[in-house]
Amino acid sequence: MLLAASTVLVAPSASAQIPGQDEIAKSPNMQLLANVPKQGAMAGLNNFGSDWAFQGKYAYGGNYAGFTVYDISKPAKPKVVSVVSCPGPQNDVAVAGNLLFLSTDQSMSNDGCQAVPAPTSQQSAWEGIKIFDISDPASPRYVKAIETKCGSHTHTLVPGKKGTTYVYVSSFFPAANFPDCQPPHDLISIIKVPMRNPAAAALIAEPVLFPDGGNPGDPPDTPDVDFTFATSGCHDLTAYPDKKIMAGACMGDGVLFDISNPERPRTITGVRDDVNFSFWHSATFNNRANKIVFTDELGGGGGATCNPAIGPEKGANAIYDIVGHGDKRRLVFRSYYKIPRENAPTENCVAHNGSLIPVKGKDIMVQAWYQGGISVFDFTNSSRPREIGWFERGPLDTTRLILGGTWSAYYYNGHIYSNDIQKGMDVLRINDRRTAMAAFVRMPELNAQTQPDYFDRH
């Protein structure tokens, strides 16, 4: 997500097919089991719910004001275990062992949880990764922070050898007057974490992924809302450690990387779509790792782009097959996928975060679309993806656009968990024969940006 504050627009009347304000609409096979509103310091219009991480019976929900720990041992009756106030957008989360990692992508006065926003041009301002000890989920303990160039918009965990974990930090938007975020910014930051001694975590590498500068994008004064962003870093990286590969959604480029040496990721191949893709936002492999679903966050997530005027190919997913082997692998475009429903002009709607629903022999994914809701779609035939389930609420307001909707929708151990920007946690179940077998696949942990092999676990 690109925006840092609510967007307000005056809007014409909505289509008769669009649900009324806060009204729920869904396919018959989708069931809302529970909603837990944002709690305490996490509440408030500009304290957006962000990403998810899961471990055992706990879900960790990011929020621009910190994170919340939920007990999901009874998914229909989730309980709040703790609320940790630690402002620092976006506060995307990931967990490994007894540690939680938190992304800060805003210049702050210091690296603590009582910090306040500071000018990005200020040399002493801080942004990067914070580490917490979550051995007691009821009382997470702050351990350490590591500053990274241009902060940490998102991050990805890659397991290492001998009890280490690597944190790949994605960041972008450098500027000449930002002392710690200078152009060109064609790199990611790699932090090495000794899991038994997280206080010794350190920045070890800043590999340049785009030595040629990446996609130059459209001229800055391009008037179109869907202009192509120049590549100046990556927005999101999705690792598939068992396959030793990673997919990068890097602003103007979609990239496939080799991570056989996790300290030295290496580019295999990349693609661009300067016609329909504005901002390469995130990526998801299928379980066999022969396909990638890339998302385009047209308008930075703050615009109403799910309508006939924008059309079905912008602000959508692009599905690519991975063909060839080794360093000769390449990405071949197959199709676009966008939700088939029109949304109101007061609803921000565009492709956003999702994960696989593990059904052996099929490629099925659940995905967030902000106020477009949640979509479950089958892309087994990568040239003909089709929706098989959906859930959404009507607009938060019928006269102005208030940023809202589901930020991340992930499948974990039989249920779909949605982190709604304004409404908090939603727990859903899909009751469908096509996804029924997924309920038998149990995972001890899930960070969506570190994909597991669901059917060949070691």
Side-chain angles (χ1 to χ4, degrees), residues 15-46:
S15 163
Q17 286 76 40
I18 296 170
Q21 184 171 343
D22 273 343
E23 181 184 359
I24 289 176
K26 63 183 185 65
S27 58
N29 59 356
M30 294 287 278
Q31 181 182 4
L32 177 64
L33 300 179
N35 170 262
V36 181
K38 296 186 294 186
Q39 305 285 306
M42 306 302 106
L45 193 64
N46 289 321

Side-chain angles (χ1 to χ4, degrees), residues 147-168:
E147 187 169 16
T148 56
K149 289 180 178 176
C150 300
S152 175
H153 195 71
T154 64
H155 64 273
T156 301
L157 303 187
V158 177
K161 296 179 180 178
K162 298 180 181 178
T164 62
T165 292
Y166 294 96
V167 184
Y168 286 11

Side-chain angles (χ1 to χ4, degrees), residues 63-132:
N63 181 289
Y64 274 40
F67 64 93
T68 303
V69 184
Y70 302 88
D71 182 334
I72 54 170
S73 54
K74 296 180 179 179
K77 295 181 179 180
K79 297 178 180 179
V80 174
V81 176
S82 58
V83 178
V84 178
S85 175
C86 195
Q90 301 182 138
N91 277 342
D92 279 7
V93 293
V95 294
N98 289 328
L99 302 180
L100 178 143
F101 302 89
L102 199 66
S103 278
T104 300
D105 191 29
Q106 178 177 318
S107 291
M108 306 296 286
S109 56
N110 57 59
D111 63 4
C113 283
Q114 288 74 46
V116 296
T120 306
S121 57
Q122 183 176 308
Q123 180 70 58
S124 62
W126 181 92
E127 51 186 328
I129 287 284
K130 298 185 181 86
I131 303 175
F132 289 80

Side-chain angles (χ1 to χ4, degrees), residues 245-280:
I245 55 175
M246 179 171 70
C250 300
M251 304 181 72
D253 293 270
V255 191
L256 180 66
F257 298 101
D258 181 310
I259 56 169
S260 299
N261 181 344
E263 296 187 9
R264 296 182 180 178
R266 183 173 57 84
T267 299
I268 299 172
T269 189
V271 288
R272 294 175 182 171
D273 181 347
D274 294 336
V275 175
N276 287 314
F277 256 48
S278 174
F279 189 91
W280 295 71

Side-chain angles (χ1 to χ4, degrees), residues 47 54 66 69 87 92 119 170 180 200 229 239 270 277 282 349 375 403 408 428:
N47 292 343
F54 304 90
V69 184
D92 279 7
S170 299
D180 300 318
F229 278 83
F277 256 48
S282 53
C349 174
S375 178
L403 198 70
S408 300
L428 301 100

Side-chain angles (χ1 to χ4, degrees), residues 154-410:
T154 64
H155 64 273
T156 301
L157 303 187
V158 177
K161 296 179 180 178
K162 298 180 181 178
T164 62
T165 292
Y166 294 96
V167 184
Y168 286 11
V169 176
S170 299
S171 56
F172 50 89
F173 281 168
N177 65 327
F178 296 168
D180 300 318
C181 187
Q182 292 281 304
H185 182 73
D186 298 317
L187 54 82
I188 63 170
S189 300
I190 301 179
I191 297 168
K192 188 174 183 178
V193 184
M195 295 300 288
R196 292 186 178 180
N197 183 20
L203 179 69
I204 62 160
E206 294 174 334
V208 173
L209 304 181
F210 302 96
D212 63 350
N215 192 334
D218 291 333
D221 58 351
T222 302
D224 295 338
V225 68
D226 58 342
F227 72 92
T228 300
F229 278 83
T231 297
S232 59
C234 291
H235 179 278
D236 218 331
L237 300 166
T238 296
Y240 198 154
D242 285 349
K243 308 292 186 184
K244 301 186 187 314
I245 55 175
M246 179 171 70
C250 300
M251 304 181 72
D253 293 270
V255 191
L256 180 66
F257 298 101
D258 181 310
I259 56 169
S260 299
N261 181 344
E263 296 187 9
R264 296 182 180 178
R266 183 173 57 84
T267 299
I268 299 172
T269 189
V271 288
R272 294 175 182 171
D273 181 347
D274 294 336
V275 175
N276 287 314
F277 256 48
S278 174
F279 189 91
W280 295 71
H281 174 274
S282 53
T284 303
F285 290 101
N286 68 333
N287 198 70
R288 291 178 59 197
N290 60 5
K291 300 173 188 174
I292 303 175
V293 178
F294 287 105
T295 70
D296 174 20
E297 195 182 47
L298 174 64
T305 71
C306 297
N307 54 55
I310 299 297
E313 296 180 342
K314 296 181 186 293
N317 296 336
I319 302 171
Y320 286 80
D321 284 354
I322 303 173
V323 300
H325 301 280
D327 284 352
K328 294 184 178 180
R329 281 174 285 189
R330 57 195 177 91
L331 298 171
V332 178
F333 172 78
R334 294 304 187 201
S335 64
Y336 295 107
Y337 172 77
K338 191 172 182 179
I339 57 172
R341 287 168 301 288
E342 180 181 352
N343 280 90
T346 59
E347 293 180 288
N348 56 301
C349 174
V350 76
H352 216 237
N353 294 352
S355 74
L356 292 184
I357 297 181
V359 180
K360 198 165 189 177
K362 297 289 185 180
D363 299 323
I364 299 176
M365 182 172 169
V366 59
Q367 186 179 359
W369 290 79
Y370 289 122
Q371 289 194 71
I374 297 166
S375 178
V376 178
F377 66 99
D378 185 325
F379 62 104
T380 306
N381 181 342
S382 51
S383 297
R384 297 187 66 185
R386 58 195 179 94
E387 186 171 67
I388 63 175
W390 58 277
F391 171 92
E392 70 165 317
R393 291 183 174 91
L396 291 165
D397 194 292
T398 58
T399 60
R400 62 185 183 127
L401 193 156
I402 301 173
L403 198 70
T406 178
W407 177 295
S408 300
Y410 299 147

